[in-house]
Amino acid sequence: MANDETKTVLDESSVAAVRLTLSTLAGHHVAEIFEAAAGRGPIADLAPEAMRARNIDL
C-alpha cells in the first residue's frame, strides 16, 4: 500500500481507460468512487472531471 508521500501516475492509455469507465457508470457510482478514494490519487483526480461533465453532485 502506498503512503502519503507516494505519487502514482497513470500513463495516457490508463487515463483513457479510467475516463471511459467513469463515463459508463451511473452518477452515484462515480461519486462513490471519488469518496472511496478519499479525493486522493489519480482516479480521484479524474472522478471530479467526470462529475462536472455530467453535472453529478456528491
Side-chain angles (χ1 to χ4, degrees), residues 20-33:
L20 176 63
T21 300
L22 290 171
S23 73
T24 62
L25 296 175
H28 66 278
H29 288 136
V30 176
E32 287 176 17
I33 287 171

Side-chain angles (χ1 to χ4, degrees), residues 2-51:
N3 63 29
D4 288 342
E5 295 176 17
T6 302
K7 174 90 172 152
T8 303
V9 178
L10 299 178
D11 61 26
E12 290 182 35
S13 296
S14 296
V15 169
V18 170
R19 283 185 175 134
L20 176 63
T21 300
L22 290 171
S23 73
T24 62
L25 296 175
H28 66 278
H29 288 136
V30 176
E32 287 176 17
I33 287 171
F34 179 75
E35 289 176 343
R40 296 169 43 202
I43 293 176
D45 292 342
L46 294 171
E49 175 185 303
M51 293 169 68

